[in-house]
mmCIF file of all heavy atoms in Angstrom:
data_model
loop_
_atom_site.group_PDB
_atom_site.id
_atom_site.type_symbol
_atom_site.label_atom_id
_atom_site.label_comp_id
_atom_site.label_asym_id
_atom_site.label_seq_id
_atom_site.Cartn_x
_atom_site.Cartn_y
_atom_site.Cartn_z
ATOM 1 N N THR B 161 32.404 153.066 -74.564
ATOM 2 C CA THR B 161 33.256 154.198 -74.958
ATOM 3 C C THR B 161 34.290 153.733 -75.982
ATOM 4 O O THR B 161 34.610 154.442 -76.939
ATOM 5 C CB THR B 161 33.970 154.787 -73.723
ATOM 6 O OG1 THR B 161 32.971 155.123 -72.786
ATOM 7 C CG2 THR B 161 34.791 155.999 -74.059
ATOM 8 N N ILE B 163 33.804 151.364 -78.080
ATOM 9 C CA ILE B 163 33.127 151.138 -79.374
ATOM 10 C C ILE B 163 33.111 152.467 -80.141
ATOM 11 O O ILE B 163 33.455 152.525 -81.318
ATOM 12 C CB ILE B 163 31.685 150.606 -79.176
ATOM 13 C CG1 ILE B 163 31.702 149.247 -78.478
ATOM 14 C CG2 ILE B 163 30.956 150.543 -80.517
ATOM 15 C CD1 ILE B 163 32.188 148.089 -79.316
ATOM 16 N N ASP B 164 32.721 153.552 -79.437
ATOM 17 C CA ASP B 164 32.718 154.872 -80.096
ATOM 18 C C ASP B 164 34.138 155.257 -80.511
ATOM 19 O O ASP B 164 34.349 155.832 -81.585
ATOM 20 C CB ASP B 164 32.135 155.936 -79.151
ATOM 21 C CG ASP B 164 30.635 155.750 -78.955
ATOM 22 O OD1 ASP B 164 29.964 155.325 -79.914
ATOM 23 O OD2 ASP B 164 30.137 156.025 -77.846
ATOM 24 N N ALA B 165 35.110 154.933 -79.646
ATOM 25 C CA ALA B 165 36.501 155.264 -79.980
ATOM 26 C C ALA B 165 36.966 154.465 -81.192
ATOM 27 O O ALA B 165 37.647 154.999 -82.081
ATOM 28 C CB ALA B 165 37.408 154.990 -78.778
ATOM 29 N N SER B 166 36.566 153.204 -81.286
ATOM 30 C CA SER B 166 37.022 152.427 -82.447
ATOM 31 C C SER B 166 36.329 152.893 -83.727
ATOM 32 O O SER B 166 36.846 152.655 -84.823
ATOM 33 C CB SER B 166 36.898 150.910 -82.237
ATOM 34 O OG SER B 166 35.628 150.561 -81.805
ATOM 35 N N THR B 167 35.202 153.586 -83.594
ATOM 36 C CA THR B 167 34.612 154.230 -84.772
ATOM 37 C C THR B 167 35.632 155.206 -85.360
ATOM 38 O O THR B 167 35.804 155.290 -86.582
ATOM 39 C CB THR B 167 33.333 155.015 -84.395
ATOM 40 O OG1 THR B 167 32.487 154.161 -83.656
ATOM 41 C CG2 THR B 167 32.609 155.532 -85.623
ATOM 42 N N GLY B 168 36.312 155.947 -84.468
ATOM 43 C CA GLY B 168 37.290 156.944 -84.896
ATOM 44 C C GLY B 168 38.570 156.337 -85.447
ATOM 45 O O GLY B 168 39.313 157.006 -86.173
ATOM 46 N N ILE B 169 38.852 155.077 -85.096
ATOM 47 C CA ILE B 169 40.089 154.445 -85.575
ATOM 48 C C ILE B 169 39.793 153.482 -86.733
ATOM 49 O O ILE B 169 40.230 153.702 -87.861
ATOM 50 C CB ILE B 169 40.813 153.689 -84.423
ATOM 51 C CG1 ILE B 169 41.105 154.638 -83.249
ATOM 52 C CG2 ILE B 169 42.090 153.019 -84.931
ATOM 53 C CD1 ILE B 169 42.069 155.776 -83.578
ATOM 54 N N SER B 170 39.038 152.434 -86.469
ATOM 55 C CA SER B 170 38.850 151.385 -87.497
ATOM 56 C C SER B 170 37.561 151.549 -88.298
ATOM 57 O O SER B 170 37.539 151.245 -89.488
ATOM 58 C CB SER B 170 38.873 150.007 -86.840
ATOM 59 O OG SER B 170 37.915 149.954 -85.789
ATOM 60 N N GLY B 171 36.475 152.004 -87.654
ATOM 61 C CA GLY B 171 35.185 152.129 -88.356
ATOM 62 C C GLY B 171 35.285 153.117 -89.501
ATOM 63 O O GLY B 171 34.994 152.794 -90.664
ATOM 64 N N SER B 172 35.725 154.328 -89.191
ATOM 65 C CA SER B 172 35.883 155.357 -90.218
ATOM 66 C C SER B 172 37.271 155.311 -90.846
ATOM 67 O O SER B 172 37.499 155.941 -91.892
ATOM 68 C CB SER B 172 35.671 156.750 -89.598
ATOM 69 O OG SER B 172 34.410 156.830 -88.988
ATOM 70 N N GLY B 173 38.184 154.590 -90.215
ATOM 71 C CA GLY B 173 39.599 154.595 -90.605
ATOM 72 C C GLY B 173 39.897 154.291 -92.063
ATOM 73 O O GLY B 173 40.768 154.942 -92.657
ATOM 74 N N TYR B 176 40.240 157.308 -94.021
ATOM 75 C CA TYR B 176 41.457 158.130 -93.841
ATOM 76 C C TYR B 176 42.559 157.595 -94.762
ATOM 77 O O TYR B 176 43.314 158.356 -95.359
ATOM 78 C CB TYR B 176 41.990 158.115 -92.405
ATOM 79 C CG TYR B 176 40.990 158.234 -91.283
ATOM 80 C CD1 TYR B 176 41.314 157.793 -89.999
ATOM 81 C CD2 TYR B 176 39.724 158.781 -91.480
ATOM 82 C CE1 TYR B 176 40.420 157.898 -88.961
ATOM 83 C CE2 TYR B 176 38.822 158.875 -90.443
ATOM 84 C CZ TYR B 176 39.169 158.425 -89.182
ATOM 85 O OH TYR B 176 38.285 158.497 -88.160
ATOM 86 N N VAL B 246 50.668 167.550 -89.735
ATOM 87 C CA VAL B 246 49.760 166.544 -90.311
ATOM 88 C C VAL B 246 49.362 165.482 -89.277
ATOM 89 O O VAL B 246 48.206 165.068 -89.206
ATOM 90 C CB VAL B 246 50.402 165.886 -91.555
ATOM 91 C CG1 VAL B 246 49.564 164.728 -92.063
ATOM 92 C CG2 VAL B 246 50.561 166.927 -92.665
ATOM 93 N N LYS B 247 50.335 165.076 -88.425
ATOM 94 C CA LYS B 247 50.021 164.039 -87.433
ATOM 95 C C LYS B 247 48.888 164.496 -86.517
ATOM 96 O O LYS B 247 47.925 163.767 -86.262
ATOM 97 C CB LYS B 247 51.274 163.723 -86.604
ATOM 98 C CG LYS B 247 51.146 162.428 -85.823
ATOM 99 C CD LYS B 247 52.270 162.243 -84.836
ATOM 100 C CE LYS B 247 53.530 161.734 -85.490
ATOM 101 N NZ LYS B 247 54.625 161.555 -84.498
ATOM 102 N N GLN B 248 48.992 165.743 -86.056
ATOM 103 C CA GLN B 248 47.957 166.277 -85.167
ATOM 104 C C GLN B 248 46.610 166.358 -85.902
ATOM 105 O O GLN B 248 45.558 166.043 -85.332
ATOM 106 C CB GLN B 248 48.374 167.662 -84.649
ATOM 107 C CG GLN B 248 47.438 168.230 -83.589
ATOM 108 C CD GLN B 248 47.335 167.322 -82.356
ATOM 109 O OE1 GLN B 248 48.354 166.891 -81.826
ATOM 110 N NE2 GLN B 248 46.117 167.003 -81.938
ATOM 111 N N LEU B 249 46.665 166.756 -87.171
ATOM 112 C CA LEU B 249 45.418 166.882 -87.947
ATOM 113 C C LEU B 249 44.730 165.523 -88.106
ATOM 114 O O LEU B 249 43.499 165.424 -88.030
ATOM 115 C CB LEU B 249 45.695 167.502 -89.323
ATOM 116 C CG LEU B 249 46.179 168.955 -89.301
ATOM 117 C CD1 LEU B 249 46.486 169.442 -90.716
ATOM 118 C CD2 LEU B 249 45.153 169.877 -88.651
ATOM 119 N N ILE B 250 45.530 164.476 -88.303
ATOM 120 C CA ILE B 250 44.941 163.132 -88.440
ATOM 121 C C ILE B 250 44.328 162.700 -87.103
ATOM 122 O O ILE B 250 43.223 162.134 -87.051
ATOM 123 C CB ILE B 250 45.998 162.116 -88.942
ATOM 124 C CG1 ILE B 250 46.362 162.451 -90.394
ATOM 125 C CG2 ILE B 250 45.479 160.690 -88.843
ATOM 126 C CD1 ILE B 250 47.534 161.674 -90.959
ATOM 127 N N GLN B 251 45.041 163.007 -86.022
ATOM 128 C CA GLN B 251 44.486 162.661 -84.700
ATOM 129 C C GLN B 251 43.192 163.439 -84.435
ATOM 130 O O GLN B 251 42.227 162.892 -83.898
ATOM 131 C CB GLN B 251 45.525 162.920 -83.615
ATOM 132 C CG GLN B 251 46.685 161.938 -83.728
ATOM 133 C CD GLN B 251 47.738 162.122 -82.642
ATOM 134 O OE1 GLN B 251 47.486 162.729 -81.616
ATOM 135 N NE2 GLN B 251 48.917 161.597 -82.888
ATOM 136 N N ASP B 252 43.185 164.714 -84.824
ATOM 137 C CA ASP B 252 41.953 165.521 -84.658
ATOM 138 C C ASP B 252 40.803 164.890 -85.448
ATOM 139 O O ASP B 252 39.661 164.847 -84.975
ATOM 140 C CB ASP B 252 42.160 166.958 -85.174
ATOM 141 C CG ASP B 252 43.106 167.756 -84.277
ATOM 142 O OD1 ASP B 252 43.462 167.264 -83.191
ATOM 143 O OD2 ASP B 252 43.506 168.877 -84.696
ATOM 144 N N ALA B 253 41.121 164.400 -86.649
ATOM 145 C CA ALA B 253 40.082 163.785 -87.496
ATOM 146 C C ALA B 253 39.518 162.536 -86.812
ATOM 147 O O ALA B 253 38.300 162.316 -86.791
ATOM 148 C CB ALA B 253 40.672 163.427 -88.863
ATOM 149 N N ALA B 254 40.418 161.723 -86.237
ATOM 150 C CA ALA B 254 39.957 160.505 -85.550
ATOM 151 C C ALA B 254 39.044 160.866 -84.375
ATOM 152 O O ALA B 254 38.002 160.235 -84.151
ATOM 153 C CB ALA B 254 41.158 159.687 -85.075
ATOM 154 N N TYR B 255 39.416 161.921 -83.647
ATOM 155 C CA TYR B 255 38.567 162.366 -82.531
ATOM 156 C C TYR B 255 37.236 162.933 -83.028
ATOM 157 O O TYR B 255 36.206 162.797 -82.359
ATOM 158 C CB TYR B 255 39.303 163.389 -81.655
ATOM 159 C CG TYR B 255 40.072 162.714 -80.537
ATOM 160 C CD1 TYR B 255 41.413 162.378 -80.684
ATOM 161 C CD2 TYR B 255 39.440 162.368 -79.341
ATOM 162 C CE1 TYR B 255 42.114 161.729 -79.685
ATOM 163 C CE2 TYR B 255 40.127 161.719 -78.332
ATOM 164 C CZ TYR B 255 41.474 161.400 -78.505
ATOM 165 O OH TYR B 255 42.151 160.749 -77.513
ATOM 166 N N ALA B 256 37.262 163.577 -84.198
ATOM 167 C CA ALA B 256 36.005 164.108 -84.756
ATOM 168 C C ALA B 256 35.030 162.951 -85.005
ATOM 169 O O ALA B 256 33.832 163.053 -84.702
ATOM 170 C CB ALA B 256 36.274 164.873 -86.051
ATOM 171 N N ALA B 257 35.546 161.828 -85.526
ATOM 172 C CA ALA B 257 34.679 160.661 -85.768
ATOM 173 C C ALA B 257 34.202 160.067 -84.442
ATOM 174 O O ALA B 257 33.027 159.699 -84.295
ATOM 175 C CB ALA B 257 35.432 159.614 -86.584
ATOM 176 N N PHE B 258 35.100 159.968 -83.478
ATOM 177 C CA PHE B 258 34.773 159.457 -82.128
ATOM 178 C C PHE B 258 33.639 160.294 -81.531
ATOM 179 O O PHE B 258 32.603 159.769 -81.089
ATOM 180 C CB PHE B 258 36.060 159.522 -81.301
ATOM 181 C CG PHE B 258 35.958 159.113 -79.845
ATOM 182 C CD1 PHE B 258 34.856 158.437 -79.330
ATOM 183 C CD2 PHE B 258 37.016 159.380 -78.989
ATOM 184 C CE1 PHE B 258 34.801 158.055 -77.985
ATOM 185 C CE2 PHE B 258 36.973 159.008 -77.642
ATOM 186 C CZ PHE B 258 35.855 158.356 -77.148
ATOM 187 N N ASN B 259 33.794 161.616 -81.567
ATOM 188 C CA ASN B 259 32.773 162.500 -80.980
ATOM 189 C C ASN B 259 31.458 162.430 -81.748
ATOM 190 O O ASN B 259 30.384 162.474 -81.155
ATOM 191 C CB ASN B 259 33.279 163.948 -80.939
ATOM 192 C CG ASN B 259 34.415 164.088 -79.941
ATOM 193 O OD1 ASN B 259 34.456 163.373 -78.936
ATOM 194 N ND2 ASN B 259 35.355 164.981 -80.216
ATOM 195 N N ARG B 260 31.578 162.282 -83.076
ATOM 196 C CA ARG B 260 30.357 162.186 -83.900
ATOM 197 C C ARG B 260 29.591 160.900 -83.561
ATOM 198 O O ARG B 260 28.355 160.884 -83.560
ATOM 199 C CB ARG B 260 30.737 162.226 -85.385
ATOM 200 C CG ARG B 260 29.579 162.184 -86.331
ATOM 201 C CD ARG B 260 28.715 163.431 -86.275
ATOM 202 N NE ARG B 260 27.493 163.258 -87.037
ATOM 203 C CZ ARG B 260 26.268 163.586 -86.617
ATOM 204 N NH1 ARG B 260 26.090 164.170 -85.452
ATOM 205 N NH2 ARG B 260 25.227 163.368 -87.366
ATOM 206 N N ALA B 261 30.327 159.825 -83.254
ATOM 207 C CA ALA B 261 29.661 158.564 -82.876
ATOM 208 C C ALA B 261 28.855 158.771 -81.595
ATOM 209 O O ALA B 261 27.715 158.298 -81.478
ATOM 210 C CB ALA B 261 30.695 157.454 -82.687
ATOM 211 N N ILE B 262 29.428 159.523 -80.649
ATOM 212 C CA ILE B 262 28.713 159.782 -79.389
ATOM 213 C C ILE B 262 27.461 160.623 -79.681
ATOM 214 O O ILE B 262 26.368 160.327 -79.191
ATOM 215 C CB ILE B 262 29.632 160.501 -78.382
ATOM 216 C CG1 ILE B 262 30.811 159.571 -78.014
ATOM 217 C CG2 ILE B 262 28.862 160.906 -77.123
ATOM 218 C CD1 ILE B 262 31.913 160.248 -77.216
#
Side-chain angles (χ1 to χ4, degrees):
T161 304
I163 297 288
D164 290 326
S166 51
T167 309
I169 303 296
S170 54
S172 303
Y176 317 159
V246 173
K247 195 190 280 180
Q248 187 59 49
L249 294 177
I250 291 171
Q251 292 182 18
D252 290 351
Y255 270 94
F258 177 14
N259 292 329
R260 182 67 189 134
I262 296 170

